[in-house]
Amino acid sequence: MPECAYITVLALGGPQNSVRQYAESADHDVHTGTLNDVDDSVDVLVLDDTTDCSPHRVLEHIREHGYDCGVLLLGDRDETTRGVDITLPADASTEEIRTGVVRVARRVAYEAVLDDLFDLCERRADLLDDGDEDALDAVSDRIRERRECTDDIAARFDEADYRAAFRDLD
């Protein structure tokens, strides 16, 4: 998902007023639903930890199905939940939720572009052995584009975004 692409957000359970207000004023797609509504089209999942869905169950479901969505958790628990991109207080304002969703979407986009960049680099290494200059030039151009895209996205990162983007490298 490129940085400025359309964002699809799914809010699980019966969202609180600030999430409903955010959904009404958002310039992207915001749906409410259940865990069964999570699919590949969801970029950011907003989860209120006061609903019946436990954050651990939701994250397990996402991992089991291989979904690449980011997770924004609204809650007042002090515990840190691995796999949650951003945690906001349960009483977060509409603007805080909007900012959080954009930050999570940016992280998801960065990871997708980085994965593509790694795949292209592997393809380029194979082409170096094959000697196909035209294909090598085309892949090299795509690598340059992906690098520029990662640079553009990362330019908006803060320390927390970097930690989240590279947390799986442990």
Side-chain angles (χ1 to χ4, degrees):
M1 178 184 82
E3 167 68 16
C4 57
Y6 194 75
I7 302 170
T8 300
V9 178
L10 176 64
L12 290 188
Q16 61 190 22
N17 285 337
S18 57
V19 175
R20 278 195 288 280
Q21 291 168 355
Y22 158 71
E24 292 169 3
S25 65
D27 57 356
H28 44 264
D29 224 1
V30 181
H31 304 279
T32 58
T34 66
L35 195 53
N36 293 329
D37 296 317
V38 179
D39 61 24
D40 287 325
S41 69
V42 176
D43 300 308
V44 179
L45 188 81
V46 176
L47 175 61
D48 182 345
D49 77 356
T50 63
T51 65
D52 293 337
C53 297
S54 89
H56 296 289
R57 175 148 162 49
V58 171
L59 294 169
E60 181 179 299
H61 178 82
I62 290 169
R63 280 191 300 269
E64 283 177 3
H65 291 86
Y67 300 131
D68 290 329
C69 61
V71 178
L72 185 147
L73 178 65
L74 298 172
D76 292 325
R77 297 180 189 175
D78 288 335
E79 68 186 59
T80 301
T81 304
R82 186 170 175 91
V84 171
D85 294 281
I86 293 178
T87 302
L88 295 176
D91 61 352
S93 70
T94 301
E95 188 55 37
E96 289 171 318
I97 295 169
R98 180 185 336 280
T99 300
V101 165
V102 170
R103 287 184 67 193
V104 171
R106 187 179 302 132
R107 292 175 187 178
V108 170
Y110 185 79
E111 290 172 15
V113 173
L114 203 57
D115 286 346
D116 190 35
L117 178 61
F118 288 140
D119 291 343
L120 288 167
C121 289
E122 287 178 353
R123 175 81 175 121
R124 183 175 179 264
D126 291 341
L127 289 171
L128 285 171
D129 293 336
D130 294 344
D132 184 347
E133 292 298 319
D134 291 336
L136 183 60
D137 289 343
V139 169
S140 294
D141 288 344
R142 289 190 57 211
I143 288 172
R144 267 190 296 283
E145 290 171 3
R146 299 284 82 190
R147 283 183 178 163
E148 289 173 8
C149 190
T150 57
D151 289 347
D152 289 346
I153 296 170
R156 295 178 184 88
F157 275 10
D158 63 13
E159 184 179 329
D161 293 323
Y162 277 111
R163 275 197 313 270
F166 295 106
R167 72 175 165 234
D168 294 330
L169 296 179
D170 299 355

